[in-house]
Amino acid sequence: MINWSNLLLVYRLAARSKRGKPSAAGFEHQLADRLLQLQRELADFSYRPGGYVNFMIYDPKQRRISAAPFADRVVHHALCNVIEPIFERRFIPDSYANRIGKGTHKAIDRLQFFARRYRYVLRVDIVKHFPSIDHAVMRDLLFETITEDSMRWLIERIIRSGEGVLADEYEMVYFPGDDLFAVERPRGLPIGNLTSQFWSNVYLTPLDHFITQDLRCQAYLRYVDDFALFNDSKRRLYEWKRAIVDFLCRLRLTIHEPQAQVIPCTHGIPWLGFVVYPTHRRIKARNVVKFSRRLRARWNEYCAGAISFAEFDASVQGWINHVRYADTWGLRTYLLGKGLVYKKPKS
């Protein structure tokens, strides 16, 4: 993990799309010295993660994002570059988040594939997934596979660095067997860390295997903490829902039970910003409103000289590339044909 070629490689991965930022530029300015320092600290167990910079996003719901210092991001990449292939073999094929060759659009394709073959769907999401991840459970799941002491030490350091970051995002839940001291259990993985995204998949892999092997659900997929089960029997899906709620207690997680209802696939399945039907797909209305406002704001920035036309066009093309996975030709024609009138900036 700490050999020079790996550290140089993961620096490039961490710096990708961030070279214009001061933290990345400062690290690159003394690249060899910084990498040698990290190598020494990891070798002699003196490495200490830095503090997080926290900020809120609202897309679509409020989330606290925690940005680690750039040097720590290099360490996260170094660790994941070594252990991720080990765990990748344990992941089910229908887990789509934060994996090479997977992603949002393939998850949407797969959901529609199942919707065309089954009558009913049970869609479930976990309450406050990242704030709820229990450190003891996370550690046990990782250490079942990772036996090397140096790796375990680093994993422990990174897990502990996130302790308390999302404390005010979590509402205490007591599980069977808990005592009053359960409230003191460390929990929460910072949203924004590469390790958090990867470890989230590790944390929910037991759930994936429970559903596909123990429940023998033949049509199941998951994207982070959103997952869907398909069957031709409503009763069977509700039985599976009860079993999932019980199983998740082992992971100290809960679901949004009122929203987890069995519905006919023909009614449309909300999924990753789209509404997916067996025959077609639509964009959620709130995403249309959001883009319409952003389009107008970016056009006004271009007219005022704040951004170049290339930057404006990149925003539009990025949105088009996303929504083309739904039936949106009419929507795109309408939004982009509403008439964006160029206004010369005031001198």
Side-chain angles (χ1 to χ4, degrees):
M1 183 186 73
I2 62 172
N3 66 60
W4 181 258
S5 59
N6 186 53
L7 289 177
L8 190 59
L9 169 65
V10 297
Y11 155 72
R12 291 170 179 153
L13 293 173
R16 194 165 46 192
S17 303
K18 292 183 173 63
R19 286 197 164 160
K21 295 189 176 181
S23 58
F27 193 95
E28 185 175 19
H29 180 63
Q30 298 177 306
L31 179 59
D33 291 341
R34 296 292 183 90
L35 289 180
L36 286 170
Q37 180 183 350
L38 280 179
Q39 190 178 50
R40 285 193 299 269
E41 291 176 354
L42 292 169
D44 64 17
F45 302 99
S46 63
Y47 167 74
R48 299 290 184 275
Y52 291 94
V53 175
N54 300 303
F55 57 93
M56 306 301 292
I57 64 169
Y58 305 86
D59 189 21
K61 54 189 176 184
Q62 178 176 305
R63 284 191 178 94
R64 173 174 293 182
I65 305 299
S66 302
F70 186 80
D72 291 344
R73 279 179 257 167
V74 174
V75 172
H76 298 168
H77 275 276
L79 176 63
C80 289
N81 200 42
V82 173
I83 69 173
E84 192 168 339
I86 300 170
F87 285 96
E88 180 67 28
R89 294 191 290 270
R90 299 168 182 258
F91 295 160
I92 65 168
D94 282 316
S95 168
Y96 286 89
N98 308 308
R99 296 177 65 192
I100 295 172
K102 302 291 185 177
T104 304
H105 298 134
K106 289 195 174 181
I108 293 167
D109 288 342
R110 188 62 165 166
L111 185 92
Q112 189 171 53
F113 173 85
F114 288 140
R116 288 170 173 167
R117 283 158 178 76
Y118 294 90
R119 294 178 62 192
Y120 300 107
V121 61
L122 169 67
R123 198 185 72 82
V124 185
D125 69 305
I126 291 170
V127 177
K128 296 288 185 180
H129 173 52
F130 283 97
S132 300
I133 290 177
D134 187 88
H135 287 191
V137 176
M138 181 81 265
R139 189 183 300 109
D140 289 345
L141 289 170
L142 290 166
F143 288 1
E144 282 176 6
T145 301
I146 304 301
T147 57
E148 187 179 329
D149 288 342
S150 62
M151 294 283 192
R152 287 186 166 192
W153 170 82
L154 182 56
I155 288 168
E156 183 72 32
R157 278 270 182 256
I158 296 172
I159 289 176
R160 286 188 176 182
S161 73
E163 190 171 328
V165 169
L166 296 175
D168 58 352
E169 302 278 314
Y170 178 77
E171 292 185 16
M172 183 61 199
V173 177
Y174 288 93
F175 294 92
D178 280 352
D179 56 26
L180 293 177
F181 294 103
V183 72
E184 302 297 332
R185 294 177 68 101
R187 59 180 65 84
L189 293 182
I191 302 173
N193 276 3
L194 176 68
T195 48
S196 298
Q197 298 166 20
F198 167 50
W199 289 344
S200 167
N201 275 338
V202 175
Y203 201 89
L204 290 178
T205 291
L207 172 69
D208 297 337
H209 289 296
F210 172 72
I211 292 173
T212 57
Q213 296 174 11
D214 293 34
L215 299 183
R216 297 184 180 180
C217 177
Q218 297 180 349
Y220 163 77
L221 74 162
R222 179 175 61 81
Y223 190 93
V224 192
D225 61 321
D226 288 320
F227 52 98
L229 298 82
F230 293 81
N231 199 269
D232 288 328
S233 167
K234 292 179 71 174
R235 177 180 295 180
R236 177 63 58 83
L237 286 169
Y238 276 120
E239 289 173 354
W240 286 349
K241 175 184 172 181
R242 288 191 291 272
I244 288 167
V245 169
D246 291 342
F247 181 85
L248 284 174
C249 288
R250 305 181 198 178
L251 300 177
R252 304 187 66 82
L253 298 174
T254 58
I255 68 170
H256 289 101
E257 290 204 48
Q259 289 84 5
Q261 301 298 323
V262 176
I263 63 170
C265 294
T266 53
H267 287 190
I269 309 164
W271 185 248
L272 306 180
F274 294 78
V275 181
V276 181
Y277 297 82
T279 55
H280 62 286
R281 309 168 186 177
R282 292 179 179 170
I283 300 294
K284 282 187 175 180
R286 69 183 179 210
N287 290 344
V288 175
V289 172
K290 183 174 69 175
F291 174 73
S292 181
R293 290 172 178 169
R294 178 170 173 76
L295 175 68
R296 180 61 58 182
R298 294 293 280 176
W299 179 253
N300 289 339
E301 288 173 352
Y302 165 65
C303 291
I307 62 172
S308 66
F309 184 80
E311 290 173 301
F312 168 76
D313 186 57
S315 297
V316 174
Q317 294 301 326
W319 180 77
I320 289 174
N321 187 54
H322 177 61
V323 302
R324 68 186 176 88
Y325 287 88
D327 302 276
T328 56
W329 175 255
L331 173 65
R332 283 179 275 163
T333 303
Y334 172 73
L335 287 180
L336 299 175
K338 288 173 70 175
L340 297 173
V341 179
Y342 179 72
K343 302 174 183 177
K344 294 183 76 174
K346 296 179 180 179
S347 55

